Amino acid sequence: MSTPESAAPEGPVVDVDIVSDVMCPWCIVGYRQLEQALAATGIGARIRWHPFELNPEMPPEGQNTAEHIAEKYGASPEQSAQNRKQLQDLGKSLGFDFNFTPESRIVNSFQAHQLLDFALSQGLQHPLKLALFKAHFTDNRDVSDPDVLIDVAASVGIDADAAREVLDSGTLVESVREKQKFWTSRGISGVPSMVFGGKYLVTGAQGAENYAQILRQTLEEAA
């Protein structure tokens, strides 16, 4: 089972650092696969999420998802539709709904990362991260909109006024930038990137079986 950073799980536990962007569908896929691996092995995990922006230059108004994929990856409309269908099927098998529409947009995620940084200090980073994935991919909400971010934060128990203060003041801008630089300076250029036990780096959604193997190996070596 996965555990919020403040909880004390019973049984064997592995620290898992996940470098991720709320805009990245493969990040929630990878996390759900990791959850399956934890359930299958009976190993617990202390999850901590770290900031990464796939599109740091994304303007405030964002960009249509299909247009963005075509521009960034050269995907044809047919390829793009096929990729979305693949993700939807995979999501369903993992209990997560990707509700892509012709109006789906990729937005700037920097404020979401600031709020996640604040949530870490509140012991609520993990539920907020999962709620933001759902808001963006399932509910098609604009998670670059401060009002949406505050509403999502409040839904997991974060004080709405405190969340608004964080976003209005920009007090965590430098903290998030430093954390982003920390990971990119260590060669992280794609997400999800998961670090198991502070030792093993795995990039991309690797599947439950591979994650289970890495969890067991990490525990064995720690012992």
Side-chain angles (χ1 to χ4, degrees):
M1 63 166 213
S2 59
T3 307
E5 44 290 308
S6 59
E10 297 173 6
V13 177
V14 172
D15 287 312
V16 184
D17 293 280
I18 309 178
V19 187
S20 157
D21 191 0
V22 177
M23 293 297 108
C24 168
W26 293 104
C27 289
I28 183 61
V29 166
Y31 172 72
R32 284 298 177 96
Q33 292 171 340
L34 174 63
E35 270 193 328
Q36 287 185 332
L38 293 166
T41 58
I43 296 170
R46 272 183 298 263
I47 306 283
R48 184 168 291 191
W49 298 88
H50 301 276
F52 186 95
E53 286 179 273
L54 282 169
N55 305 289
E57 306 304 320
M58 183 63 69
E61 69 274 12
Q63 185 181 17
N64 178 275
T65 300
E67 285 177 17
H68 177 78
I69 299 299
E71 276 181 25
K72 188 169 184 177
Y73 303 106
S76 69
E78 294 77 20
Q79 288 171 319
S80 196
Q82 187 180 354
N83 291 342
R84 287 198 293 274
K85 177 72 167 62
Q86 179 194 1
L87 267 170
Q88 285 177 312
D89 291 345
L90 185 53
K92 272 203 179 69
S93 74
L94 296 164
F96 187 85
D97 290 326
F98 288 105
N99 290 327
F100 297 115
T101 74
E103 287 74 45
S104 292
R105 298 183 76 74
I106 289 177
V107 297
N108 190 293
S109 59
F110 188 58
Q111 284 204 309
H113 285 303
Q114 291 171 60
L115 202 52
L116 285 160
D117 202 41
F118 174 66
L120 179 63
S121 71
Q122 308 296 299
L124 291 167
Q125 187 199 48
H126 185 63
L128 178 60
K129 182 76 174 190
L130 299 185
L132 287 169
F133 279 130
K134 180 179 180 294
H136 176 61
F137 287 113
T138 305
D139 303 332
N140 281 301
R141 301 183 75 187
D142 179 358
V143 295
S144 67
D145 181 333
D147 289 335
V148 170
L149 287 171
I150 291 158
D151 187 52
V152 176
S155 78
V156 300
I158 295 170
D159 181 79
D161 291 335
R164 189 173 294 281
E165 171 63 19
V166 164
L167 298 180
D168 287 348
S169 66
T171 50
L172 293 175
V173 166
E174 287 307 312
S175 169
V176 173
R177 291 287 184 226
E178 282 172 18
K179 289 175 180 180
Q180 288 175 321
K181 280 180 197 158
F182 173 87
W183 292 103
T184 54
S185 72
R186 278 153 180 76
I188 301 291
S189 59
V191 290
S193 287
M194 299 189 193
V195 181
F196 291 80
K199 192 169 181 183
Y200 297 107
L201 169 66
V202 184
T203 301
Q206 293 293 324
E209 286 185 15
N210 285 327
Y211 287 137
Q213 187 180 346
I214 296 160
L215 286 164
R216 291 191 192 99
Q217 184 180 347
T218 304
L219 270 185
E220 282 167 15
E221 296 214 355

